[in-house]
Amino acid sequence: MGQALGCVQVDQSTVAVKERFGRFDDVLEPGCHCLPWCLGYQLAGSLSLRVQQLDVRCETKTKDNVFVTVVASIQYRALSEKAADAFYKLSNTKAQIQAYVFDVIRASVPRLDLDSTFEQKNDIAKAVENELEKAMSAYGFEIVQTLIVDIEPDAQVKRAMNEINSAARLRLAANEKAEADKILQIKRAEGEAESKYLSGLGIARQRQAIVDGLRDSVLAFSANVPGTTSKDVMDMVLVTQYFDTMKEIGASSKSSAVFIPHGPGAVKDIAAQIREGLLQAESVNQ
């Protein structure tokens, strides 16, 4: 804004206050105006109509005795139709707004616990805005928006809250891991049971095949060699199995040495022992 030869310029989004001999005379809109100073006119000052923002930090205590710092952002502007009131009635607009913000916040937050304070911050902002709107409208100001931008608990409280949250998440992770281990053990047990079942079926079929083969061999040998009995055929089969076993023990480098009677006559003793065991088992069952 400049002044030369009694002419002044008022910038856009700004109004100027004109006085005559120290008394309010008029509000000058943006543009060029003539102020003949010789007639007692002078420019008292200017007033911006732009939206301004004031950040207020207020420390207070919640219902559960936790100290928090509430940060509120107040957006306000002067009304052109009430420019005279805005210019003359308040000497420190920001201090006045800050006092009302402190009053509302310190009256609202102590009725809420910490969690409710976070949840109801919009209600707190609305209460601050309503109170400011009623108070500041008389001074020619409009409250455009009120925001609670941050709620900062004490550092120790914040650390404790983080530890509680971390413990809860660790407990949940442990439960999920235990459930996963349980499922793995169940599936492993089911797999082992199925494997043993199939292995048992294979062994049973193998033994059935051996019995069938021995029966066929005994019948064929008895039919082709006259005068032989089933006992003679079984003795020969046992001798054959005996030599096959001795061969496998000698061929394997990792097998444990087993010392048993290894003469051919020992086969007869082994066969007799097997037969006697079977006969004794049958007598006990009867």
Side-chain angles (χ1 to χ4, degrees):
M1 185 180 298
Q3 182 174 358
L5 301 178
C7 294
V8 296
Q9 173 186 313
V10 180
D11 297 332
Q12 185 66 34
S13 299
T14 306
V15 293
V17 178
K18 182 177 70 171
E19 295 179 345
R20 185 178 185 186
F21 296 113
R23 182 177 181 179
F24 171 74
D25 183 72
D26 196 8
V27 176
L28 303 180
E29 299 292 335
C32 184
H33 301 272
C34 182
L35 269 70
W37 56 269
C38 58
L39 299 178
Y41 292 102
Q42 66 176 357
L43 195 65
S46 61
L47 185 67
S48 176
L49 300 180
R50 296 176 181 176
V51 176
Q52 303 179 62
Q53 178 167 310
L54 174 64
D55 293 331
V56 181
R57 297 179 63 88
C58 176
E59 185 178 10
T60 184
K61 185 178 72 170
T62 62
K63 186 177 181 180
D64 48 353
N65 297 322
V66 177
F67 282 90
V68 294
T69 300
V70 181
V71 182
S73 293
I74 313 300
Q75 298 174 357
Y76 66 97
R77 67 183 181 91
L79 298 173
S80 60
E81 61 272 16
K82 294 184 178 181
D85 293 337
F87 186 81
Y88 286 105
K89 287 188 176 181
L90 285 179
S91 61
N92 192 335
T93 305
K94 293 184 178 180
Q96 184 80 3
I97 293 176
Q98 182 174 337
Y100 281 107
V101 172
F102 280 176
D103 181 66
V104 176
I105 290 179
R106 287 174 176 169
S108 302
V109 173
R111 294 198 296 263
L112 305 171
D113 57 27
L114 183 59
D115 292 337
S116 299
T117 302
F118 281 97
E119 295 171 358
Q120 301 182 26
K121 69 173 188 174
N122 291 335
D123 297 337
I124 299 173
K126 191 63 177 178
V128 173
E129 183 176 346
N130 292 338
E131 187 67 23
L132 284 176
E133 187 68 34
K134 290 188 295 184
M136 299 304 294
S137 61
Y139 299 107
F141 286 91
E142 176 190 10
I143 304 301
V144 179
Q145 185 74 29
T146 301
L147 303 172
I148 301 297
V149 296
D150 196 9
I151 300 176
E152 301 176 357
D154 183 75
Q156 295 181 354
V157 176
K158 188 183 297 185
R159 184 165 53 251
M161 293 173 64
N162 291 334
E163 290 177 356
I164 292 173
N165 188 32
S166 176
R169 293 182 179 275
L170 289 175
R171 183 168 61 251
L172 179 60
N175 291 336
E176 294 294 334
K177 185 177 183 299
E179 189 66 23
D181 292 341
K182 175 183 175 182
I183 294 174
L184 287 176
Q185 292 178 2
I186 292 174
K187 293 299 181 182
R188 187 181 298 112
E190 291 177 353
E192 292 178 356
E194 184 68 18
S195 175
K196 291 179 179 179
Y197 172 74
L198 295 176
S199 176
L201 288 178
I203 293 173
R205 291 174 180 175
Q206 179 186 17
R207 291 175 177 174
Q208 184 63 39
I210 293 174
V211 171
D212 293 341
L214 288 174
R215 184 180 63 249
D216 295 340
S217 298
V218 170
L219 294 175
F221 194 87
S222 299
N224 295 327
V225 180
T228 59
T229 64
S230 299
K231 175 180 176 302
D232 298 332
V233 176
M234 290 303 299
D235 290 341
M236 186 185 67
V237 170
L238 288 175
V239 171
T240 304
Q241 293 293 329
Y242 169 79
F243 283 113
D244 289 340
T245 302
M246 296 298 294
K247 178 181 178 181
E248 291 179 2
I249 293 175
S252 178
S253 60
K254 295 182 180 181
S255 62
S256 300
V258 179
F259 294 95
I260 59 174
H262 58 278
V267 177
K268 181 177 180 181
D269 297 335
I270 294 173
Q273 293 175 8
I274 293 174
R275 283 194 297 271
E276 289 177 1
L278 291 175
L279 292 175
Q280 290 178 0
E282 291 178 356
S283 64
V284 170
N285 292 332
Q286 291 175 357

